[in-house]
Structures are given as structure tokens and as C-alpha cells.
Amino acid sequence: MLILKTINEIEQMKVSSRIAAEVLKRLEKEITPGISTGELDKIAESFISQRGGTPSFKGYRGYPASICSSINEEVVHGIPGQRKLKEGDLLKIDVGVFKDGFHGDVTESYAVGTISPEAKILKEITEKSLYAGISKVLEGNRIGDISSAIQHCAESNGYTVVKDFTGHGIGRSLHEDPQVTNFGKPGTGLRLKDGMVFCIEPMLNAGSADVEILKDRWTVVTKDRNLSAHFEHTIAVVDGKAEILTRL
Ligand code: MF3
Ligand code: CO
């Protein structure tokens, strides 16, 4: 079921979304070799509570932390812990914030120190594919227009898109309709209209698109252990176009 949001509700969603974006800004300066992902999680959790929010992910289907931290071949849902960041790592941080009844959800990929040229290009193209998707958010367009723009950007640059995880509607629940896949055909799917709020979140792999889940039952890795990158924004359709709620 699609839940359209009123202008007022979108204003409220700006609050949780903004805090989520601020968490990433706060963490960015800590992202250096030697810090553990568990320490990043602690900083995020206390930042969120200082701002009067709660972490959307903690307890979601039993997820144990406030952020997801996924390194190199880890695609999404990496659990923070003792592991320390190393020079050259490609780190993805995903964070969700719940405040005043609504969620906001955002992801960015980061270079730890200097990364390989291959990792750097993958990271840049993944962000570019997010914005290629966002550029299709216009009233009258369809979800498939977003999906296909992401897929085209990825594949024309020699990358594959992960098919097992998708973007999603967001609001009073972290995951609502519609699903926003990172592959699809233009002119297909739900028509976009004012009041829709959803997350667009391309995950691009340097090798094959196949993924698997580790024994911790959360961490998603590429099957061939090649690099993966991920970016995400929470987007509202307002006045027939995209408003990025998780951009500072
Ligand atoms: N941004 C991801 C998603 O929308 C993060 C979910 S992590 C979880 O699926 F722990 F909440 F599952
Ligand atoms: Co999401």
C-alpha cells in the first residue's frame, strides 16, 4: 500500500532526515585508519540521542546496532564491532533516524585514507548513479525510469547492480511501498506524484552482481569478493520534482 505524505508530514520527515545526514557529517571526520566500526557506531548513537531521535535500525528485525558499516566486498548491513579501519578501505555507512513519528535513511561511501583508483572510480560512479536516478524524479515519470537510469549509469561504466536489495518507500515505517529497484525498464512501474517519499539506494559491484549473506546472518558480501559501493538519499516528490531530504 502506497502512503502519500502531506506537506506537513514531509516537513516532519525533514527533521529525522536531516539528523541522519548530520550523523554522517559527524562521522566523516572520524573515518581514519585505526578507528573501529564499533566506535563509529557509539558516536552515531549518542549523536542521534542528543538530537532527540532514536536509531531506526537498532532492534529492526533484531539488528544489533545504530549504523551499518560495510567494508570493501561487504555490500550492506555490515555490523559494527572491533574491526579497525585500514588505509585503503572502502567504507559504507548507512544510518536511519526516527524522530517525531518518521524515519530518515541515508548512506554514503567513504575512502579510508587513500584508496585504489579502482575503488575511487567505483565510488564516484555509484554516487553518480544515485543522482542519475534522482534526476528522473519528476511527476508523471515512473519508478522504472529511476531504476533504469541507475542501471544504465552503472552498466555503461562496466559495473553491475545488486538485485537482491532495493530502495524503498519510507515514512512512519522504515520500509514502505514502493520498492525502488536498481534495475528496470523506462516507462514501467508506479507513476510518481506529489507526496511520495522514498529512498533511492544504488549498490554497485565491480565484479558480478551476485551476493551472499555471512554467518552473522546480516552482512551481505559480493560472492566473488570484489568491491562494492553504496549511496542512498531519502527523496520526497514536492511540486512535481525531487526534494532531497537527507542533503545538508
Ligand atoms: N538502508 C538500509 C535499508 O533500507 C538499512 C537497513 S539496516 C537494518 O534496508 F538493520 F535496519 F535492517
Ligand atoms: Co534504505
Side-chain angles (χ1 to χ4, degrees):
M1 186 193 49
L2 181 74
I3 304 169
L4 292 177
K5 280 81 185 174
T6 65
I7 287 293
N8 259 328
E9 289 171 328
I10 290 172
E11 283 305 308
Q12 278 176 270
M13 290 194 72
K14 286 181 184 171
V15 177
S16 52
S17 298
R18 184 180 177 85
I19 297 169
E22 286 171 350
V23 172
L24 291 186
K25 192 168 172 57
R26 170 70 186 84
L27 293 181
E28 198 171 340
K29 53 179 180 269
E30 309 291 343
I31 298 173
T32 48
I35 193 166
S36 72
T37 53
E39 290 171 283
L40 294 176
D41 185 61
K42 278 216 186 81
I43 295 167
E45 183 159 2
S46 71
F47 184 93
I48 293 167
S49 87
Q50 274 170 29
R51 292 297 167 99
T54 52
S56 302
F57 300 168
K58 202 165 194 173
Y60 179 85
R61 299 182 179 217
Y63 186 75
S66 297
I67 62 170
C68 299
S69 54
S70 311
I71 302 172
N72 300 333
E73 77 281 3
E74 297 173 352
V75 179
V76 281
H77 301 170
I79 302 172
Q82 309 269 295
R83 180 169 175 179
K84 288 188 165 80
L85 301 182
K86 289 204 316 268
E87 179 86 20
D89 281 341
L90 178 60
L91 170 70
K92 286 78 70 178
I93 297 184
D94 189 344
V95 62
V97 171
F98 182 75
K99 171 132 170 62
D100 302 334
F102 290 97
H103 295 273
D105 188 5
V106 65
T107 303
E108 207 165 310
S109 295
Y110 298 95
V112 180
T114 306
I115 57 175
S116 70
E118 292 76 22
K120 188 165 181 282
I121 298 167
L122 171 64
K123 174 177 168 296
E124 287 168 1
I125 298 297
T126 305
E127 185 165 29
K128 200 172 159 196
S129 75
L130 169 59
Y131 284 95
I134 293 172
S135 76
K136 300 294 176 181
V137 178
L138 296 168
E139 197 158 44
N141 275 5
R142 293 174 184 268
I143 295 285
D145 296 317
I146 302 170
S147 302
S148 104
I150 292 168
Q151 182 177 21
H152 180 263
C153 179
E155 292 179 353
S156 64
N157 284 282
Y159 299 119
T160 58
V161 294
V162 173
K163 304 216 165 52
D164 307 67
F165 296 88
T166 70
H168 50 91
I170 184 169
R172 294 191 183 276
S173 301
L174 179 60
H175 295 137
E176 298 181 358
D177 285 339
Q179 234 188 39
V180 186
T181 60
N182 295 313
F183 61 96
K185 291 192 167 47
T188 64
L190 202 65
R191 215 177 266 285
L192 304 181
K193 57 176 177 174
D194 279 356
M196 289 173 72
V197 185
F198 48 81
C199 295
I200 303 179
E201 48 178 320
M203 287 151 250
L204 268 57
N205 293 351
S208 114
D210 295 345
V211 298
E212 62 189 24
I213 298 175
L214 297 183
K215 285 208 191 72
D216 65 14
R217 299 177 65 232
W218 278 104
T219 311
V220 177
V221 297
T222 54
K223 221 166 207 169
D224 59 13
R225 303 303 192 260
N226 276 312
L227 289 177
S228 188
H230 181 200
F231 281 84
E232 174 179 25
H233 271 309
T234 299
I235 310 288
V237 186
V238 179
D239 293 333
K241 53 188 191 333
E243 187 160 353
I244 304 175
L245 305 187
T246 40
R247 189 159 64 182
L248 294 179

